[in-house]
Amino acid sequence: MASEHSVVEIKEIVYDRRFTTEDLNMLELVTKGCCQDHKDKKIRRVPEMLRNFEEYFEPQIISIGPIHYNNPRIDQSTNSEFKIRLMRKFFESSQVSIFRTFKLIKDNINELKNSFDEDVTKTYEDDTLVRMLFLDGCAILQFIDSFVHKELIWLEVTRGQVEIIIQDLFLLENQIPFQVLMLLLQSSNRKDIFLTSIRDFMDRNAL
């Protein structure tokens, strides 16, 4: 889930004791270079020189956005089931019209596409991107709200799965524009509650 003012910005690589000092020095230099080179702050693929560390970029349970959409290494049945159930719960709890909200995403798809590097979205039709962003945005909002309020039991996920999903939501290549979330909440009378949940979630889990 990208921040409101910067969609994706490579800030830090999670250090792992399996990495050598040379690995870490290289990662630090490359990461700084990526930040300097990509001041447009679009959602993009991690540079090839960092692909050896895909465990920090590739989701395990839930894919968000176009980069890992239909990734064969993700269990698509579990991925789809979780997101659809989260979407349904979102509309039950947010008290907004599913049709009106879907139209908001559709009407703003050109602007939303501009938040991505062109290479990321060029293979997708607009209708596919609309459905993708709509579903993923609903899933993010409801997962965060349920997690913060300790109400995830209805999703029937294990503690281990919850921890992995949280990790998935922070991965560099697993992002959508914050504007998607704001559009989804635009007509909800629980907007402030969801936004507070997002802040609490970030405070608890951000690096």
Side-chain angles (χ1 to χ4, degrees), residues 101 105 112 116 132-138 141 176-186:
T101 308
I105 302 298
L112 294 172
F116 295 94
M132 180 195 307
L133 296 177
F134 176 76
L135 176 60
D136 291 355
C138 293
L141 286 168
I176 59 174
F178 189 81
Q179 184 186 357
V180 172
L181 308 187
M182 295 305 294
L183 288 170
L184 292 171
L185 293 175
Q186 192 173 100

Side-chain angles (χ1 to χ4, degrees), residues 52-66:
N52 289 336
F53 304 96
E54 285 198 2
E55 62 205 271
Y56 297 118
F57 315 133
E58 188 170 293
Q60 298 181 58
I61 294 180
I62 287 186
S63 65
I64 299 295

Side-chain angles (χ1 to χ4, degrees), residues 113-140:
K113 281 173 63 177
N114 286 334
S115 295
F116 295 94
D117 186 84
E118 184 179 356
D119 180 64
V120 168
T121 58
K122 65 182 181 182
T123 60
Y124 296 103
E125 298 290 337
D126 282 0
D127 286 347
T128 300
L129 284 171
V130 170
R131 292 193 298 271
M132 180 195 307
L133 296 177
F134 176 76
L135 176 60
D136 291 355
C138 293
I140 288 171

Side-chain angles (χ1 to χ4, degrees), residues 34-45:
C34 290
C35 290
Q36 292 169 356
D37 292 341
H38 300 315
K39 292 181 180 179
D40 53 349
K41 299 177 182 177
K42 291 178 180 283
I43 295 175
R44 63 183 75 245
R45 299 182 192 279

Side-chain angles (χ1 to χ4, degrees), residues 60-82:
Q60 298 181 58
I61 294 180
I62 287 186
S63 65
I64 299 295
I67 296 179
H68 292 286
Y69 184 71
N70 285 336
N71 185 327
R73 288 188 287 273
I74 299 172
D75 183 336
Q76 292 302 321
S77 176
T78 301
N79 180 39
S80 297
E81 180 185 354
F82 279 167

Side-chain angles (χ1 to χ4, degrees), residues 138-202:
C138 293
I140 288 171
L141 286 168
Q142 189 56 53
F143 178 84
I144 288 175
D145 190 61
S146 294
F147 173 81
V148 168
H149 292 99
K150 300 180 180 180
E151 296 173 349
L152 274 173
I153 189 170
W154 64 270
L155 190 58
E156 298 178 351
V157 287
T158 66
R159 180 175 298 180
Q161 286 175 315
V162 169
E163 292 174 355
I164 292 172
I165 291 172
I166 291 172
Q167 177 180 305
D168 285 348
L169 294 181
F170 282 94
L171 296 178
L172 296 173
E173 291 188 344
N174 211 37
Q175 303 293 316
I176 59 174
F178 189 81
Q179 184 186 357
V180 172
L181 308 187
M182 295 305 294
L183 288 170
L184 292 171
L185 293 175
Q186 192 173 100
S187 58
S188 173
N189 59 13
R190 298 187 71 245
K191 177 179 178 179
D192 290 343
I193 295 174
F194 276 102
L195 291 177
T196 298
S197 292
I198 291 173
R199 285 191 290 270
D200 289 348
F201 182 79
M202 296 294 290

